[in-house]
Amino acid sequence: MTRIFITAIILLASFSVLAIDTGEAFDDPELQARYEKIIEEVRCLKCQNQTIKDSSAFLADDLRREIRRLLSEGKTDAEVYDFLVERYGDFALYRPRMSGITLLLWIAPGAFLLVGGFIVVRVLRKRMAMPIDIDDDSEPGQVTS
Amino acid sequence: MIRFAIPLVVLALMILVFIKGLDPERDLNALPSPFLGKPAPQFELPKLKNPDETVSNEHYEGELAVVNVWATWCVGCRQEHGFLTELAAENLVPIYGINWRDRRDEALNWLVQLGDPYVASGYDEDGRVGIDWGVYGAPETFLISKDGRVLHKHLGPLSRYSWEKDFAPLIAAETGATQ
């Protein structure tokens, strides 16, 4: 019984490894590695939270085919990314380039951290400079030092 | 003074963000076309109705044109088809079709059944031209200027409403400026 159960679970789980990419692999392993890295970096525009590696939408299929074609023509990775950005904009890449409007995306987290840190430091400094009030309205039992 | 100024500025910024973010007409999935204002991509495709002939950019060189990406599997295309045939009957601007990732027999059948608003449709069987145009979901409709630039890209089914709102003013400006 247990054996049947385990077999069933293994079989069910194995559906997730069904191949999405049905394209022919490159003979050159180096080229294949570059190809696999690129398709992990490209957004499937039709299904916007998936990479084209994970998506079986036909647009993803078309894009994979184009990337394979470009690579086999000897294009560099940068040229492949240029090809995509030219047609679909910066949004096509999961890691948008640092230029123009996308600079904001890259800088914003750091800027928020700096501003927040600055405010915290200011407030703490101010509080530390305050005199300690013994007769405050602290909860009974709370230690006031 | 500054005690009040900072929260007010932050509040004003947040109001702006929300007004923009909550705009009911904003489509979260819509991506701006990188071709806006730039020359439309070149293409040359066999005609849907006559595979021996081709249709390309040259067919509408020097005139305003609408390029509509459609397919029979696309529900939105069926939805907009009535409006496209109306528009074609008005003879305002020629409509060219790119039949994207479709089956030729089904596409031909569709035009017979629902009417053919297109001057010509190119048959983009493997989606190569679609990629060159940055198409990611049919229907998509492009407005091309007389000098071959993309003036506007509409995502999803076209309607009288979006035509009057987005296309008509651009067409008026274009024909007014070049006359």
Side-chain angles (χ1 to χ4, degrees), chain B residues 153-165:
Chain B
K153 175 181 179 179
H154 181 83
L155 290 156
L158 195 59
S159 63
R160 175 72 61 186
Y161 173 75
S162 37
W163 178 266
E164 296 297 343
K165 183 167 140 297

Side-chain angles (χ1 to χ4, degrees), chain B residues 22-57:
Chain B
L22 297 175
D23 181 357
E25 290 199 4
R26 177 165 171 257
D27 180 359
L28 282 173
N29 293 320
L31 300 175
S33 171
F35 295 114
L36 280 188
K38 298 203 186 121
Q42 299 285 314
F43 78 99
E44 184 166 17
L45 283 170
K47 281 186 180 171
L48 183 64
K49 287 188 172 171
N50 183 357
D52 298 331
E53 287 179 22
T54 61
V55 55
S56 70
N57 302 54

